[in-house]
Amino acid sequence: MQIQKKIEDIKFTPMTVFGEEMEVSENIVMASAAGWYVGAICKEGGFIQPYDRYTDYFATPEEASKFLEVV
């Protein structure tokens, strides 16, 4: 997982998901082996991990960033 934004600059919101308390990030540009996308990460048990992917994959981080600006 690659994140386009610095972790310390990401806004997290406390949530309860399936009875588990965690912090979920704002929408951010991320990448996996399949490409760039808009998604979220979470802090759970002291670790940062992927939470959800909200878009299809883009070829470049710039394309994903443009989509994020529109939403």
Side-chain angles (χ1 to χ4, degrees):
M1 168 183 75
Q2 186 175 353
I3 302 170
Q4 189 72 10
K5 201 172 189 181
K6 292 180 182 178
I7 296 293
E8 57 269 10
D9 294 336
I10 297 173
K11 179 182 173 192
F12 286 87
T13 302
M15 300 180 78
T16 302
V17 180
F18 300 117
E20 298 285 327
E21 293 202 20
M22 65 178 69
E23 294 181 65
V24 177
S25 75
E26 62 188 306
N27 294 348
I28 55 175
V29 174
M30 303 167 59
S32 70
W36 292 90
Y37 61 95
V38 175
I41 57 176
C42 67
K43 291 181 184 178
E44 183 180 21
F47 296 99
I48 292 178
Q49 55 194 346
Y51 177 72
D52 205 351
R53 178 174 55 90
Y54 303 130
T55 65
D56 287 331
Y57 293 103
F58 298 95
T60 67
E62 292 79 20
E63 288 178 271
S65 292
K66 284 181 186 176
F67 182 87
L68 185 58
E69 291 173 8
V70 174
V71 179

